[in-house]
Amino acid sequence: MKKSVVIIIAVIYGLSIIFVTLFGLKHKSFNEVIYTNKIEIIEENADTLSSGLKYISLQPDDDGNCQYQLKWVVTPDNATNKAVTFNYDKSNPNISVDENGLVTFTNIKKHGSITVTITSTDGTGVSDTIQIICYKQ
């Protein structure tokens, strides 16, 4: 092998080291899963019990109905799966929570309450809970 070929290979090798050092190798991961680390129910009018449970009190309309839209934030913002489920006691037919977090009380005579836990569906089990109380005065 000629001396010039060896020198050219050495120069190319040296330049490639400098090029990678300066510009770096930018690794992209296409299947990276980012898990939920916190769910927080956001309601500025909610109060908190000494146990840490958030609650909000509502008054029914003339027909004895109350509605409340749950609002929550999933963090981090770039979580792969931001879907949540709403867990509550389904034994009372007058209180329901739909898939969008709308809590509906129907035919409330005196008062009704429900405790709703919003839980992530990504397997982490992260959750937040609020109690919603609807009562007539």
Side-chain angles (χ1 to χ4, degrees), residues 34-64:
I34 299 171
Y35 292 101
T36 301
N37 60 22
K38 184 178 180 184
I39 292 179
E40 182 178 7
I41 296 172
I42 49 174
E43 176 54 54
E44 52 193 50
N45 296 328
D47 293 318
T48 306
L49 297 173
S50 60
S51 65
L53 178 67
K54 296 176 191 172
Y55 73 94
I56 188 160
S57 298
L58 308 171
Q59 292 185 355
D61 59 15
D62 294 335
D63 298 327

Side-chain angles (χ1 to χ4, degrees), residues 66-111:
C66 284
Q67 282 194 328
Y68 179 74
Q69 177 63 55
L70 292 168
K71 298 174 196 143
W72 65 94
V73 175
V74 176
T75 55
D77 289 337
N78 61 344
T80 304
N81 182 0
K82 289 187 172 188
V84 296
T85 59
F86 303 98
N87 303 314
Y88 63 98
D89 182 14
K90 296 175 177 74
S91 64
N92 188 341
N94 294 331
I95 305 173
S96 65
V97 181
D98 72 4
E99 66 276 356
N100 297 317
L102 181 64
V103 180
T104 305
F105 294 82
T106 55
N107 299 324
I108 300 299
K109 303 296 182 207
K110 190 172 184 180
H111 74 276

Side-chain angles (χ1 to χ4, degrees), residues 13-32:
Y13 181 71
L15 288 175
S16 66
I17 290 174
I18 292 170
F19 183 74
V20 169
T21 302
L22 291 177
F23 298 106
L25 180 64
K26 302 203 176 167
H27 174 71
K28 288 189 179 184
S29 178
F30 294 104
N31 294 327
E32 183 178 6

Side-chain angles (χ1 to χ4, degrees), residues 116-133:
V116 181
T117 302
I118 301 176
T119 307
S120 66
T121 60
D122 65 357
T124 58
V126 176
S127 64
D128 197 8
T129 303
I130 189 168
Q131 183 176 23
I132 303 164
I133 304 164

